[in-house]
Amino acid sequence: DKAAYILSYFSRPLLILGTSLFVQSIVKHVLTQGDTFLITALATPVSQGIYALANNYGGLLARLILQPIEESSRNKFGKLLSTVDGAPSKPKIEEARRDLLMLLRSYALLSVCVLSVGPTVAPLLLKIVAGSRWTTSGAGDVLATYCYYIPLLAFNGLTEAFVSSVATESEVNRQSIWMLAFSAGFAGSAFLFLRVLEMGAEGLVWANVLNMSFRVIWSTAFIRSYLKGHGSTFALREIAPAPLTIAVGSGTYAVLRQTATTFNGGFTDLIKSGGVAALFVVMLAFSERAYLLQCWNFMRGQGKRD
């Protein structure tokens, strides 16, 4: 069919889809670099330096661990769920669902760890790495706030990887429109936090938290709709940590916050925090022992299959 090709060489449907993906990649780039643009326009040079330091150190986890998982997940979901014609088979849908839920549950446990320990320990580590000059400038507080942003980065990367693997052309276009709306909301919240409330670099982190929260909500709603349309289910309770895990995490956070009131800026502060964190990890492993054993058996099975 000549109408399906442009200049007899380029597939019209593929070209349209490629254009949509290209536009979306531009939107994502603007969203990714939006904090840089906004802090340059709205923040003082001091706030810019503090945010850059916190963003670079806080983003190490995302760049070194989360991003490779996101890329490999996108490839895995694409291979399982992409079809030339018709819908993917039921077994492939269930396999993709199982892998997605397992990763999301693991991210939920990682989030409990980051939220429980990170806000207290991160400023101490920053002082060791960058020196006390940065911690006294407020960078430690910004890095502590950044710990609330990391779990959202993790969930967003994984859920959007699934969306990009299965979304049709119209769904990609709809996602791009929503992302433009989120970027506008991000700009508005950044202006509120930076100019009106004068929260500095910490305010920009909270603006990112709001923006990423909406993106995670949209992607989660899409995944639930997709799986429901293919005869499967997606419930948040399936990825939620055990109640004991949440209780232990909350208790650890409270203990560390109380312990932080006795910090004197020495290396012993890190030892105290490390002791509490180690006890937390042991209790978390006990609380989630069934799930961790399930993950271990799954990885062993994958290794034997390979």
Side-chain angles (χ1 to χ4, degrees), residues 110-262:
L110 175 65
S111 299
V112 173
C113 296
V114 172
L115 295 175
S116 301
V117 179
T120 302
V121 175
L124 296 176
L125 294 176
L126 179 64
K127 184 177 181 179
I128 295 175
V129 174
S132 58
R133 182 170 64 91
W134 281 102
T135 53
T136 55
S137 68
D141 295 333
V142 177
L143 186 59
T145 304
Y146 201 93
C147 292
Y148 301 109
Y149 179 52
I150 291 175
L152 293 170
L153 275 177
F155 284 112
N156 178 72
L158 185 57
T159 54
E160 286 195 352
F162 187 94
V163 172
S164 64
S165 299
V166 302
T168 62
E169 178 190 342
S170 60
E171 290 167 341
V172 169
N173 292 334
R174 187 163 67 248
Q175 184 187 22
S176 298
I177 294 173
W178 275 105
M179 284 197 171
L180 286 174
F182 296 152
S183 64
F186 170 64
S189 60
F191 180 83
L192 173 65
F193 290 136
L194 289 173
R195 282 293 177 87
V196 179
L197 301 179
E198 297 182 348
M199 296 175 63
E202 194 171 347
L204 188 58
V205 176
W206 285 117
N208 274 308
V209 167
L210 288 177
N211 172 51
M212 201 60 66
S213 298
F214 287 121
R215 289 174 63 175
V216 170
I217 291 172
W218 189 93
S219 299
T220 303
F222 178 93
I223 293 172
R224 177 177 291 179
S225 175
Y226 176 86
L227 292 177
K228 183 179 180 180
H230 289 80
S232 189
T233 59
F234 180 86
L236 293 180
R237 65 177 180 274
E238 296 180 276
I239 65 173
L244 179 58
T245 300
I246 297 176
V248 170
S250 301
T252 301
Y253 177 84
V255 170
L256 285 175
R257 297 295 287 185
Q258 181 62 34
T259 305
T261 60
T262 65

Side-chain angles (χ1 to χ4, degrees), residues 12 14 37 73 94 104 107 171 186 195 208 213-214 231 234 251 300 305:
R12 186 182 298 273
L14 288 178
F37 301 146
S73 299
E94 290 303 319
L104 288 175
Y107 276 12
E171 290 167 341
F186 170 64
R195 282 293 177 87
N208 274 308
S213 298
F214 287 121
F234 180 86
R300 287 184 62 188
R305 186 185 306 175

Side-chain angles (χ1 to χ4, degrees), residues 44-67:
T44 63
V46 174
S47 295
Q48 293 180 36
I50 292 174
Y51 179 78
L53 182 75
N55 185 50
N56 287 333
Y57 281 116
L60 282 176
L61 178 64
R63 290 190 293 270
L64 296 179
I65 299 178
L66 301 180
Q67 188 172 4

Side-chain angles (χ1 to χ4, degrees), residues 256-279:
L256 285 175
R257 297 295 287 185
Q258 181 62 34
T259 305
T261 60
T262 65
F263 287 171
N264 54 21
F267 189 74
T268 55
D269 298 338
L270 189 60
I271 296 177
K272 293 178 185 177
S273 301
V276 175
L279 180 60

Side-chain angles (χ1 to χ4, degrees), residues 94-114:
E94 290 303 319
E95 182 179 352
R97 175 185 177 276
R98 181 201 63 197
D99 293 347
L100 177 63
L101 290 177
M102 183 171 290
L103 285 171
L104 288 175
R105 178 74 182 275
S106 300
Y107 276 12
L109 297 182
L110 175 65
S111 299
V112 173
C113 296
V114 172

